[in-house]
C-alpha cells in the first residue's frame, strides 16, 4: 500500500444560507450549484481543483441565528499544490461564492492567519451589539 505525505494545509470558511440580510433561505441544492460554478472558474483560471467538504452549521451571534455551511479544504496528497496557490484559490472561491449567494462578509481561517472578506460595512440588523 502506498503512503503519500504532504505538508499539512487546512482552510475553513463559513457562508450563511440567508440571502443578504433577508429571511430568504438559500437551498442546499442552490448552494452546491453555485459551488460547482465557482470550482469550475478556479479550474479554468488557475488549473487547480479544490475538493470541498461541506458541513451544515449555524452562525449564532447576539441575535443572529443563521443556518450556514462550513466549507473546508485540505492539502490532498494525490494532487498536491503549493500552499500560496491553495490560499489564493480558496480565497477566490469563497469571494465568488459570496457574490453569487449575496453574502456580505465571511472569515477564512488558515493555520497561520485569519482573513475577513467584506463587501460593505453593513451589519446584520438582527445583531444587537450595543
Amino acid at each position: 500500500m502506498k503512503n503519500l505525505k504532504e505538508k499539512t494545509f487546512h482552510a475553513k470558511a463559513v457562508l450563511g444560507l440567508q440571502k443578504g440580510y433577508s429571511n430568504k433561505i438559500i437551498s442546499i441544492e442552490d448552494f452546491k450549484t453555485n459551488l460547482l460554478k465557482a470550482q469550475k472558474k478556479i479550474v479554468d483560471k488557475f488549473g487547480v481543483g479544490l475538493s470541498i467538504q461541506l458541513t451544515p452549521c449555524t452562525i449564532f451571534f447576539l441575535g443572529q441565528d443563521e443556518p450556514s455551511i462550513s466549507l473546508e479544504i485540505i492539502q490532498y496528497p494525490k494532487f498536491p499544490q503549493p500552499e500560496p496557490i491553495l490560499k489564493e484559490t480558496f480565497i477566490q472561491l469563497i469571494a465568488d461564492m459570496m457574490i453569487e449567494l449575496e453574502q456580505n462578509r465571511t472569515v477564512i481561517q488558515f493555520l497561520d492567519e485569519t482573513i475577513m472578506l467584506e463587501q460593505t460595512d453593513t451589519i446584520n440588523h438582527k445583531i444587537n451589539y450595543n
Side-chain angles (χ1 to χ4, degrees):
M1 179 178 302
K2 282 187 185 178
N3 186 346
L4 302 174
K5 293 183 183 183
E6 289 292 329
K7 183 177 181 234
T8 297
F9 174 86
H10 180 263
K12 176 181 179 178
V14 175
L15 292 175
L17 290 176
Q18 287 179 316
K19 213 168 250 244
Y21 294 130
S22 73
N23 289 324
K24 184 176 180 185
I25 299 296
I26 300 161
S27 72
I28 298 300
E29 293 78 23
D30 285 345
F31 191 93
K32 287 180 179 179
T33 297
N34 281 284
L35 175 57
L36 181 59
K37 285 187 344 190
Q39 285 173 315
K40 286 179 177 178
K41 281 177 71 174
I42 296 299
V43 168
D44 292 345
K45 183 175 181 178
F46 297 95
V48 173
L50 298 177
S51 176
I52 306 295
Q53 174 184 317
L54 302 177
T55 306
C57 61
T58 301
I59 298 171
F60 190 80
F61 179 64
L62 299 174
Q64 179 185 20
D65 187 357
E66 183 175 356
S68 306
I69 298 287
S70 173
L71 299 92
E72 296 183 59
I73 67 167
I74 61 168
Q75 173 70 279
Y76 189 53
K78 186 69 175 177
F79 306 109
Q81 295 290 329
E83 185 173 313
I85 295 295
L86 286 172
K87 278 187 171 187
E88 181 181 6
T89 55
F90 191 63
I91 291 168
Q92 185 64 59
L93 178 100
I94 297 302
D96 290 345
M97 292 286 294
M98 286 176 65
I99 292 166
E100 290 298 318
L101 298 174
E102 298 179 32
Q103 298 298 296
N104 187 46
R105 168 181 311 105
T106 195
V107 173
I108 300 173
Q109 296 174 311
F110 297 104
L111 295 176
D112 63 339
E113 66 182 341
T114 299
I115 298 170
M116 184 176 72
L117 300 180
E118 180 177 62
Q119 295 199 64
T120 73
D121 290 334
T122 306
I123 302 292
N124 187 329
H125 64 278
K126 294 178 183 176
I127 295 173
N128 184 7
Y129 198 67
N130 299 349

